[in-house]
Amino acid sequence: MDLRRDIFQAIADPTRRAIITLLVAHAMTPGAIAANFDSTRQTISRHIQILAECELLTQQQNGREIYYHLNPQKMKIIADFIEPFRSMWDERFNKLETIMRQYKTKK
Amino acid sequence: MERKTKVHAEEGTQDILITREFDLPVELLFKAYTEPGIVAQWMGTKVLKLESKKHGAYEFETTDPQGNVLFRAHGTIHDIIPDQNIIRTFEMANAGFDVQTEFIRFEALTDDTSKLTIQSVFRSVACRDAQLKLPFAWGINMAHDRLQQITNALK
């Protein structure tokens, strides 16, 4: 298991978020992705590589071209990332309620 | 009655809004935030200091069974109005996050129910997002540690 890259670090970058947004519509070749940006093709390739290393993108060879797709499983992790935070507080507050109800009856 | 804790964190903003309704009179909800012994129980941390008064300070610390510090946080109470409001700062030590301001509002709904609203304001959107994903990151680390334990046991 390679945890070298953090998917949240990956999406912290505005260019990488823009690449993800582009790929929501359909799979694209690196050239087609780069055509949407003012940065050099090399810079965009680097961003694509980081997203691919985080498994946010998957590659598909189609003849001579490589197409990049979004990986829905990994995207779901991002969509759900607020849930662990919420359940952490929910557990704390449930505890608070239990403690204070006992406190009330003790009085 | 909506018992579940709700978290609102709109994209591109630098605050987190947490709301929760309790089957508790507002006085007891407020007490749960101001009595050190009670805070320690539900927050699951040691309360080294908690001066529940205007300009008072607080300090929390959590250690593992070996005594290593896992979490340390502190802050200053800017304003406190019993059964209504606490406005305080909060900062985690060595976490690399900046200080945040917490506006904690206590409201009576009926004689026996109350509502808690916490608005945490961060220095930047990035700081806010880092804080939100922290339990998520811990989850990943825990899974990773478990995996490590299992593979170590196989050796």
Side-chain angles (χ1 to χ4, degrees), chain A residues 5-6 10 15 26 30 37 40 42 47 57 61 78 90 103:
Chain A
R5 288 214 183 274
D6 171 355
T15 305
H26 47 80
F37 298 92
T40 63
Q42 205 180 3
H47 284 308
L57 306 186
Q61 187 85 35
I78 295 171
D90 202 40
Y103 187 92

Side-chain angles (χ1 to χ4, degrees), chain A residues 1 5-6 9-10 15-16 18 26 32-33 38 40 48-49 68 75 91 96-97 105-106:
Chain A
M1 184 151 77
R5 288 214 183 274
D6 171 355
Q9 220 173 306
T15 305
R16 291 198 284 273
H26 47 80
I33 295 169
D38 292 331
T40 63
I48 293 172
Q49 195 194 331
Y68 283 96
M75 291 306 292
E91 274 169 39
L96 183 159
E97 197 167 53
T105 48
K106 260 194 292 184

Side-chain angles (χ1 to χ4, degrees), chain A residues 9-24:
Chain A
Q9 220 173 306
I11 59 160
D13 181 275
T15 305
R16 291 198 284 273
R17 279 203 301 270
I19 293 172
I20 290 170
T21 313
L22 280 174
L23 292 173
V24 167

Side-chain angles (χ1 to χ4, degrees), chain A residues 8 77 86 90 94 97 103, chain B residues 3 5 20 23 31 136:
Chain A
F8 293 102
I77 290 177
R86 195 201 65 77
D90 202 40
N94 289 341
E97 197 167 53
Y103 187 92
Chain B
R3 295 279 312 281
T5 304
R20 161 83 184 221
D23 275 331
K31 209 177 205 31
F136 179 90

